[in-house]
Amino acid sequence: MKITLLDCGVSNVASVERALQRLGAESQRAATAECVERAEALLLPGVGHFEALIRVLNDRKLRAPLCDAIRRGVPFLGICLGLQALYDASDEAPDLTGLQLLPGRVCALPPVAKLPHMGWNRVVLKNQSRLLKGIDADAYFYFAHSYAAIEQGEETVAACSYGTEFVAVLEKENMCAVQFHPEKSGEAGAQVLRNFMRLCA
Amino acid sequence: MSLARRIIPCLDVDGDRVVKGVNFVELRDAGDPAQLGARYNAEGADEIVVLDIAASRDRRPTFLETIRRVAAELAIPLTAGGGIRSTEDARAVLRAGADKITLNTAAVARPELISETSLEFGAQAVVLAIDAKRDGDQWVVMIRGGRDSANLDAIAWAKQGVALGAGEILLTSMDRDGTKSGFDTALTAAISSTVSVPVIASGGAKLPDHFAEIFTAGYADAALAASIFHDRIQPIRELKEFLSARGIPVRLPC
């Protein structure tokens, strides 16, 4: 199965592409509604500002086909901002509406620690996880963000703690997302991507 | 739970080769950047920094190609800089495969460059590189590869850079660089306790104790070194085991 990478021009799609390539996955970039509609599996990478990503999804008319595909059961993996975009809204751009596939707001991490939360951190398992299968409980993942989904729901399978606890990995049927960057997280990150590829197969 | 302290090998490149020198002079060839990058990725480095020490316009395409070749070898973050003077320069470096850019001389000349790049790519992608040198009871900012003084106080400049949107500080002690006598703990502690973003300490590392000291007494979030890694004086894995045994959180196993 081919994984379609949503290229919204605001993230480093190339690094995710390279990571998938190394693992032997077939992938293609997509920036149009038609490509999203036809996708067998979708990956939304994201670095940068919530506003930039949502605006691109709106302007290129990608919002509806993306939400439809996820609701239809197409395997989906959101990375970093690609996780945050799933919620109702984000404090980073309060006037914009998120994809509303999950309830709640994305909030700024509390300024009790150095921000951005940048570097390698561990996660705590909250529920059985398909994405984290085969990964040591004390594995580190690479994070680079200042906003996070702090409210946890039943889709939260792992949380990370930095100033406060926030959603690190979520899984809801075909919809998966991680706040860290698996493409930058060494062997542990590669295993997350392999596990997602297995879900796509 | 706490963030792991990062160990970062630095590749100073001139065109398509890694070079090394003492106090920014006497450069010698130290290998192929992609090969070194692949080696550090496998040995457990937490991030790689690639700096274009020549930073000349006509060799820019070669540097971008070097970034592409290094990025292709990595499953860890890559920071690249040297000679970035505009948002478009920064975009080219990020497109070539870097996750973060470093700004140095051009940000001193035009501080708005920090806010422009931070707004465009996010604070997490903008690293302010500061080359600091002791001058009486303060540290001054040096520019143009450490050749000239910017007549700026390093602590004040770090604060201003963060206020403008830098997401991280790469702090090099010009007094210690290349000396292998240990990081500048006083300088790093002064900056790290002042700013709200992570600080990468650089310059002077040789012994594992130097790293332990900069993470504890210097409050560094990451430590960068070059020749001790290039010359295999200090294997990364052993260094991390040493730090872990002293209770400093590092990413292990790797």
Side-chain angles (χ1 to χ4, degrees):
Chain A
M1 188 183 282
K2 206 181 242 181
I3 298 174
T4 299
L5 298 173
L6 249 76
D7 185 0
C8 294
V10 291
S11 64
N12 198 349
V13 179
S15 61
V16 179
E17 207 166 44
R18 269 194 306 270
L20 290 173
Q21 229 164 45
R22 273 196 293 267
L23 301 172
E26 255 196 285
S27 70
Q28 61 180 16
R29 293 190 192 194
T32 65
E34 295 73 45
C35 296
V36 174
E37 281 158 12
R38 282 201 304 266
E40 299 169 304
L42 279 160
L43 196 151
L44 178 61
V47 187
H49 205 281
F50 187 84
E51 175 169 345
L53 177 62
I54 297 297
R55 285 211 187 284
V56 171
L57 291 176
N58 289 346
D59 294 348
R60 296 198 191 151
K61 309 250 182 303
L62 298 173
R63 171 192 283 269
L66 176 59
C67 291
D68 288 348
I70 294 173
R71 288 201 188 94
R72 236 181 16 246
V74 173
F76 171 87
L77 179 66
I79 295 176
C80 191
L81 207 50
L83 175 148
Q84 299 178 11
L86 300 175
Y87 289 85
D88 288 334
S90 168
D91 286 346
E92 194 175 16
D95 300 336
L96 293 176
T97 310
L99 296 177
Q100 297 177 297
L101 293 162
L102 290 170
R105 288 184 80 77
V106 172
C107 308
L109 286 169
V112 291
K114 288 191 173 192
L115 293 176
H117 174 218
M118 184 144 59
W120 299 80
N121 211 335
R122 291 191 274 205
V123 302
V124 175
L125 209 61
K126 297 283 178 176
N127 276 303
Q128 211 182 349
S129 167
R130 292 168 290 168
L131 283 183
L132 296 176
K133 210 170 157 189
I135 299 172
D136 285 346
D138 60 356
Y140 279 96
F141 300 94
Y142 185 77
F143 291 83
H145 62 121
S146 298
Y147 289 79
I150 287 165
E151 248 178 87
Q152 297 177 31
E154 52 190 27
E155 70 284 346
T156 306
V157 297
C160 177
S161 194
Y162 190 73
T164 186
E165 205 178 59
F166 60 86
V167 179
V169 184
L170 66 84
E171 297 172 21
K172 189 181 178 185
E173 292 159 16
N174 58 304
M175 181 171 72
C176 305
V178 291
Q179 179 57 64
F180 54 77
H181 289 272
E183 77 281 13
K184 295 283 160 190
S185 293
E187 178 48 35
Q191 187 58 42
V192 169
L193 292 174
R194 267 186 225 111
N195 288 341
F196 177 66
M197 286 158 56
R198 213 161 284 150
L199 297 181
C200 298
Chain B
M1 263 185 304
S2 64
L3 220 43
R5 301 295 183 271
R6 284 170 282 157
I7 300 296
I8 306 178
C10 179
L11 311 178
D12 291 318
V13 308
D14 186 358
D16 56 0
R17 299 296 292 178
V18 177
V19 293
K20 57 181 183 178
V22 177
N23 291 107
F24 288 27
V25 292
E26 295 174 40
L27 299 174
R28 288 184 294 131
D29 187 89
D32 175 66
Q35 273 178 18
L36 273 175
R39 191 183 111 200
Y40 296 140
N41 183 74
E43 286 177 357
D46 296 306
E47 190 169 329
I48 301 287
V49 170
V50 180
L51 295 177
D52 179 9
I53 57 140
S56 69
R57 278 277 166 224
D58 48 330
R59 282 154 96 176
R60 208 65 191 163
T62 315
F63 181 59
L64 293 175
E65 183 53 29
T66 296
I67 295 174
R68 264 186 284 277
R69 289 179 51 229
V70 174
E73 301 292 337
L74 303 184
I76 54 174
L78 173 64
T79 300
I84 294 175
R85 297 175 179 89
S86 66
T87 302
E88 286 322 300
D89 287 347
R91 193 189 311 280
V93 166
L94 294 169
R95 282 246 173 95
D99 301 286
K100 314 179 203 177
I101 52 145
T102 67
L103 300 176
N104 196 332
T105 303
V108 171
R110 206 172 63 81
E112 309 84 73
L113 182 58
I114 300 170
S115 36
E116 289 164 12
T117 48
S118 182
L119 279 173
E120 184 79 12
F121 310 112
Q124 87 295 329
V126 180
V127 182
L128 178 61
I130 301 178
D131 297 333
K133 195 180 175 77
R134 187 107 206 177
D135 182 13
D137 58 357
Q138 63 163 10
W139 290 278
V140 293
V141 177
M142 304 297 289
I143 49 173
R144 285 184 271 281
R147 285 187 292 273
D148 305 318
S149 170
N151 296 314
L152 273 176
D153 175 70
I155 297 174
W157 175 231
K159 268 201 233 177
Q160 190 190 345
V162 171
L164 287 168
E168 196 164 22
I169 305 273
L170 167 53
L171 179 64
T172 301
S173 162
M174 298 296 301
D175 303 304
R176 299 296 179 91
D177 194 58
T179 65
K180 297 197 169 72
S181 60
F183 292 101
D184 192 332
T185 309
L187 166 69
T188 309
I191 302 261
S192 190
S193 54
T194 304
V195 298
S196 58
V197 301
V199 173
I200 305 168
S202 155
K206 182 184 181 187
L207 305 171
D209 273 323
H210 295 156
F211 287 85
E213 192 193 348
I214 203 62
F215 288 133
T216 51
Y219 308 112
D221 300 279
L224 176 146
S227 59
I228 57 160
F229 297 137
H230 302 339
D231 296 341
R232 299 179 191 270
I233 293 169
Q234 181 57 66
I236 293 171
R237 198 174 305 255
E238 278 174 28
L239 173 60
K240 287 181 141 188
E241 280 161 2
F242 173 90
L243 294 171
S244 179
R246 270 155 193 74
I248 296 167
V250 288
R251 182 172 65 107
L252 278 171
C254 49

mmCIF file with all atom_site columns, all heavy atoms in Angstrom, chain B residues 88-102:
data_model
loop_
_atom_site.group_PDB
_atom_site.id
_atom_site.type_symbol
_atom_site.label_atom_id
_atom_site.label_alt_id
_atom_site.label_comp_id
_atom_site.label_asym_id
_atom_site.label_entity_id
_atom_site.label_seq_id
_atom_site.pdbx_PDB_ins_code
_atom_site.Cartn_x
_atom_site.Cartn_y
_atom_site.Cartn_z
_atom_site.occupancy
_atom_site.B_iso_or_equiv
_atom_site.pdbx_formal_charge
_atom_site.auth_seq_id
_atom_site.auth_comp_id
_atom_site.auth_asym_id
_atom_site.auth_atom_id
_atom_site.pdbx_PDB_model_num
ATOM 1   N N   . GLU B 1 88  ? 15.078 33.682 2.746  1.00 0.00 ? 88  GLU B N   1
ATOM 2   C CA  . GLU B 1 88  ? 15.222 32.786 1.591  1.00 0.00 ? 88  GLU B CA  1
ATOM 3   C C   . GLU B 1 88  ? 16.429 31.857 1.757  1.00 0.00 ? 88  GLU B C   1
ATOM 4   O O   . GLU B 1 88  ? 16.358 30.674 1.406  1.00 0.00 ? 88  GLU B O   1
ATOM 5   C CB  . GLU B 1 88  ? 15.322 33.591 0.289  1.00 0.00 ? 88  GLU B CB  1
ATOM 6   C CG  . GLU B 1 88  ? 13.994 34.196 -0.144 1.00 0.00 ? 88  GLU B CG  1
ATOM 7   C CD  . GLU B 1 88  ? 12.794 33.282 0.113  1.00 0.00 ? 88  GLU B CD  1
ATOM 8   O OE1 . GLU B 1 88  ? 12.778 32.152 -0.439 1.00 0.00 ? 88  GLU B OE1 1
ATOM 9   O OE2 . GLU B 1 88  ? 11.886 33.662 0.873  1.00 0.00 ? 88  GLU B OE2 1
ATOM 10  N N   . ASP B 1 89  ? 17.537 32.385 2.303  1.00 0.00 ? 89  ASP B N   1
ATOM 11  C CA  . ASP B 1 89  ? 18.688 31.526 2.609  1.00 0.00 ? 89  ASP B CA  1
ATOM 12  C C   . ASP B 1 89  ? 18.257 30.423 3.575  1.00 0.00 ? 89  ASP B C   1
ATOM 13  O O   . ASP B 1 89  ? 18.622 29.246 3.418  1.00 0.00 ? 89  ASP B O   1
ATOM 14  C CB  . ASP B 1 89  ? 19.804 32.324 3.307  1.00 0.00 ? 89  ASP B CB  1
ATOM 15  C CG  . ASP B 1 89  ? 20.534 33.274 2.349  1.00 0.00 ? 89  ASP B CG  1
ATOM 16  O OD1 . ASP B 1 89  ? 20.353 33.135 1.134  1.00 0.00 ? 89  ASP B OD1 1
ATOM 17  O OD2 . ASP B 1 89  ? 21.280 34.134 2.851  1.00 0.00 ? 89  ASP B OD2 1
ATOM 18  N N   . ALA B 1 90  ? 17.480 30.829 4.597  1.00 0.00 ? 90  ALA B N   1
ATOM 19  C CA  . ALA B 1 90  ? 17.038 29.872 5.616  1.00 0.00 ? 90  ALA B CA  1
ATOM 20  C C   . ALA B 1 90  ? 16.147 28.801 4.982  1.00 0.00 ? 90  ALA B C   1
ATOM 21  O O   . ALA B 1 90  ? 16.296 27.606 5.257  1.00 0.00 ? 90  ALA B O   1
ATOM 22  C CB  . ALA B 1 90  ? 16.273 30.604 6.718  1.00 0.00 ? 90  ALA B CB  1
ATOM 23  N N   . ARG B 1 91  ? 15.248 29.240 4.100  1.00 0.00 ? 91  ARG B N   1
ATOM 24  C CA  . ARG B 1 91  ? 14.339 28.299 3.445  1.00 0.00 ? 91  ARG B CA  1
ATOM 25  C C   . ARG B 1 91  ? 15.130 27.262 2.633  1.00 0.00 ? 91  ARG B C   1
ATOM 26  O O   . ARG B 1 91  ? 14.831 26.068 2.671  1.00 0.00 ? 91  ARG B O   1
ATOM 27  C CB  . ARG B 1 91  ? 13.354 29.051 2.535  1.00 0.00 ? 91  ARG B CB  1
ATOM 28  C CG  . ARG B 1 91  ? 12.182 28.189 2.057  1.00 0.00 ? 91  ARG B CG  1
ATOM 29  C CD  . ARG B 1 91  ? 11.330 28.890 0.991  1.00 0.00 ? 91  ARG B CD  1
ATOM 30  N NE  . ARG B 1 91  ? 10.951 30.240 1.354  1.00 0.00 ? 91  ARG B NE  1
ATOM 31  C CZ  . ARG B 1 91  ? 9.955  30.548 2.178  1.00 0.00 ? 91  ARG B CZ  1
ATOM 32  N NH1 . ARG B 1 91  ? 9.226  29.602 2.705  1.00 0.00 ? 91  ARG B NH1 1
ATOM 33  N NH2 . ARG B 1 91  ? 9.681  31.802 2.469  1.00 0.00 ? 91  ARG B NH2 1
ATOM 34  N N   . ALA B 1 92  ? 16.154 27.726 1.938  1.00 0.00 ? 92  ALA B N   1
ATOM 35  C CA  . ALA B 1 92  ? 16.955 26.808 1.110  1.00 0.00 ? 92  ALA B CA  1
ATOM 36  C C   . ALA B 1 92  ? 17.619 25.746 1.986  1.00 0.00 ? 92  ALA B C   1
ATOM 37  O O   . ALA B 1 92  ? 17.666 24.565 1.621  1.00 0.00 ? 92  ALA B O   1
ATOM 38  C CB  . ALA B 1 92  ? 18.004 27.597 0.328  1.00 0.00 ? 92  ALA B CB  1
ATOM 39  N N   . VAL B 1 93  ? 18.108 26.162 3.156  1.00 0.00 ? 93  VAL B N   1
ATOM 40  C CA  . VAL B 1 93  ? 18.777 25.232 4.070  1.00 0.00 ? 93  VAL B CA  1
ATOM 41  C C   . VAL B 1 93  ? 17.773 24.213 4.638  1.00 0.00 ? 93  VAL B C   1
ATOM 42  O O   . VAL B 1 93  ? 18.050 23.015 4.730  1.00 0.00 ? 93  VAL B O   1
ATOM 43  C CB  . VAL B 1 93  ? 19.495 26.020 5.190  1.00 0.00 ? 93  VAL B CB  1
ATOM 44  C CG1 . VAL B 1 93  ? 19.909 25.117 6.328  1.00 0.00 ? 93  VAL B CG1 1
ATOM 45  C CG2 . VAL B 1 93  ? 20.711 26.748 4.616  1.00 0.00 ? 93  VAL B CG2 1
ATOM 46  N N   . LEU B 1 94  ? 16.578 24.707 4.994  1.00 0.00 ? 94  LEU B N   1
ATOM 47  C CA  . LEU B 1 94  ? 15.551 23.811 5.531  1.00 0.00 ? 94  LEU B CA  1
ATOM 48  C C   . LEU B 1 94  ? 15.053 22.858 4.449  1.00 0.00 ? 94  LEU B C   1
ATOM 49  O O   . LEU B 1 94  ? 14.852 21.663 4.699  1.00 0.00 ? 94  LEU B O   1
ATOM 50  C CB  . LEU B 1 94  ? 14.385 24.617 6.126  1.00 0.00 ? 94  LEU B CB  1
ATOM 51  C CG  . LEU B 1 94  ? 14.745 25.447 7.374  1.00 0.00 ? 94  LEU B CG  1
ATOM 52  C CD1 . LEU B 1 94  ? 13.627 26.409 7.732  1.00 0.00 ? 94  LEU B CD1 1
ATOM 53  C CD2 . LEU B 1 94  ? 15.055 24.539 8.565  1.00 0.00 ? 94  LEU B CD2 1
ATOM 54  N N   . ARG B 1 95  ? 14.860 23.378 3.233  1.00 0.00 ? 95  ARG B N   1
ATOM 55  C CA  . ARG B 1 95  ? 14.424 22.533 2.113  1.00 0.00 ? 95  ARG B CA  1
ATOM 56  C C   . ARG B 1 95  ? 15.441 21.448 1.811  1.00 0.00 ? 95  ARG B C   1
ATOM 57  O O   . ARG B 1 95  ? 15.102 20.349 1.399  1.00 0.00 ? 95  ARG B O   1
ATOM 58  C CB  . ARG B 1 95  ? 14.246 23.394 0.856  1.00 0.00 ? 95  ARG B CB  1
ATOM 59  C CG  . ARG B 1 95  ? 12.969 24.178 0.846  1.00 0.00 ? 95  ARG B CG  1
ATOM 60  C CD  . ARG B 1 95  ? 12.041 23.689 -0.265 1.00 0.00 ? 95  ARG B CD  1
ATOM 61  N NE  . ARG B 1 95  ? 10.739 24.339 -0.149 1.00 0.00 ? 95  ARG B NE  1
ATOM 62  C CZ  . ARG B 1 95  ? 10.406 25.427 -0.810 1.00 0.00 ? 95  ARG B CZ  1
ATOM 63  N NH1 . ARG B 1 95  ? 11.250 25.963 -1.670 1.00 0.00 ? 95  ARG B NH1 1
ATOM 64  N NH2 . ARG B 1 95  ? 9.223  25.967 -0.645 1.00 0.00 ? 95  ARG B NH2 1
ATOM 65  N N   . ALA B 1 96  ? 16.720 21.778 2.017  1.00 0.00 ? 96  ALA B N   1
ATOM 66  C CA  . ALA B 1 96  ? 17.775 20.797 1.728  1.00 0.00 ? 96  ALA B CA  1
ATOM 67  C C   . ALA B 1 96  ? 17.764 19.660 2.758  1.00 0.00 ? 96  ALA B C   1
ATOM 68  O O   . ALA B 1 96  ? 18.421 18.645 2.556  1.00 0.00 ? 96  ALA B O   1
ATOM 69  C CB  . ALA B 1 96  ? 19.134 21.484 1.707  1.00 0.00 ? 96  ALA B CB  1
ATOM 70  N N   . GLY B 1 97  ? 17.007 19.838 3.855  1.00 0.00 ? 97  GLY B N   1
ATOM 71  C CA  . GLY B 1 97  ? 16.879 18.729 4.790  1.00 0.00 ? 97  GLY B CA  1
ATOM 72  C C   . GLY B 1 97  ? 17.208 19.046 6.236  1.00 0.00 ? 97  GLY B C   1
ATOM 73  O O   . GLY B 1 97  ? 17.124 18.175 7.102  1.00 0.00 ? 97  GLY B O   1
ATOM 74  N N   . ALA B 1 98  ? 17.566 20.302 6.537  1.00 0.00 ? 98  ALA B N   1
ATOM 75  C CA  . ALA B 1 98  ? 17.825 20.666 7.931  1.00 0.00 ? 98  ALA B CA  1
ATOM 76  C C   . ALA B 1 98  ? 16.501 20.869 8.662  1.00 0.00 ? 98  ALA B C   1
ATOM 77  O O   . ALA B 1 98  ? 15.499 21.240 8.053  1.00 0.00 ? 98  ALA B O   1
ATOM 78  C CB  . ALA B 1 98  ? 18.661 21.943 7.996  1.00 0.00 ? 98  ALA B CB  1
ATOM 79  N N   . ASP B 1 99  ? 16.498 20.596 9.966  1.00 0.00 ? 99  ASP B N   1
ATOM 80  C CA  . ASP B 1 99  ? 15.307 20.839 10.777 1.00 0.00 ? 99  ASP B CA  1
ATOM 81  C C   . ASP B 1 99  ? 15.362 22.203 11.422 1.00 0.00 ? 99  ASP B C   1
ATOM 82  O O   . ASP B 1 99  ? 14.343 22.777 11.766 1.00 0.00 ? 99  ASP B O   1
ATOM 83  C CB  . ASP B 1 99  ? 15.205 19.776 11.871 1.00 0.00 ? 99  ASP B CB  1
ATOM 84  C CG  . ASP B 1 99  ? 15.136 18.396 11.276 1.00 0.00 ? 99  ASP B CG  1
ATOM 85  O OD1 . ASP B 1 99  ? 14.077 18.054 10.737 1.00 0.00 ? 99  ASP B OD1 1
ATOM 86  O OD2 . ASP B 1 99  ? 16.154 17.672 11.304 1.00 0.00 ? 99  ASP B OD2 1
ATOM 87  N N   . LYS B 1 100 ? 16.580 22.698 11.626 1.00 0.00 ? 100 LYS B N   1
ATOM 88  C CA  . LYS B 1 100 ? 16.754 24.011 12.252 1.00 0.00 ? 100 LYS B CA  1
ATOM 89  C C   . LYS B 1 100 ? 17.883 24.734 11.529 1.00 0.00 ? 100 LYS B C   1
ATOM 90  O O   . LYS B 1 100 ? 18.765 24.105 10.954 1.00 0.00 ? 100 LYS B O   1
ATOM 91  C CB  . LYS B 1 100 ? 17.175 23.876 13.722 1.00 0.00 ? 100 LYS B CB  1
ATOM 92  C CG  . LYS B 1 100 ? 16.403 22.879 14.540 1.00 0.00 ? 100 LYS B CG  1
ATOM 93  C CD  . LYS B 1 100 ? 16.963 22.857 15.965 1.00 0.00 ? 100 LYS B CD  1
ATOM 94  C CE  . LYS B 1 100 ? 16.652 21.557 16.668 1.00 0.00 ? 100 LYS B CE  1
ATOM 95  N NZ  . LYS B 1 100 ? 17.223 21.469 18.003 1.00 0.00 ? 100 LYS B NZ  1
ATOM 96  N N   . ILE B 1 101 ? 17.843 26.061 11.618 1.00 0.00 ? 101 ILE B N   1
ATOM 97  C CA  . ILE B 1 101 ? 18.918 26.874 11.063 1.00 0.00 ? 101 ILE B CA  1
ATOM 98  C C   . ILE B 1 101 ? 19.614 27.603 12.208 1.00 0.00 ? 101 ILE B C   1
ATOM 99  O O   . ILE B 1 101 ? 19.003 27.850 13.241 1.00 0.00 ? 101 ILE B O   1
ATOM 100 C CB  . ILE B 1 101 ? 18.382 27.925 10.074 1.00 0.00 ? 101 ILE B CB  1
ATOM 101 C CG1 . ILE B 1 101 ? 17.244 28.745 10.728 1.00 0.00 ? 101 ILE B CG1 1
ATOM 102 C CG2 . ILE B 1 101 ? 17.898 27.268 8.804  1.00 0.00 ? 101 ILE B CG2 1
ATOM 103 C CD1 . ILE B 1 101 ? 17.182 30.169 10.325 1.00 0.00 ? 101 ILE B CD1 1
ATOM 104 N N   . THR B 1 102 ? 20.883 27.946 12.015 1.00 0.00 ? 102 THR B N   1
ATOM 105 C CA  . THR B 1 102 ? 21.535 28.824 12.984 1.00 0.00 ? 102 THR B CA  1
ATOM 106 C C   . THR B 1 102 ? 21.751 30.181 12.331 1.00 0.00 ? 102 THR B C   1
ATOM 107 O O   . THR B 1 102 ? 22.063 30.282 11.154 1.00 0.00 ? 102 THR B O   1
ATOM 108 C CB  . THR B 1 102 ? 22.904 28.291 13.464 1.00 0.00 ? 102 THR B CB  1
ATOM 109 O OG1 . THR B 1 102 ? 23.822 28.314 12.370 1.00 0.00 ? 102 THR B OG1 1
ATOM 110 C CG2 . THR B 1 102 ? 22.800 26.878 13.999 1.00 0.00 ? 102 THR B CG2 1
#
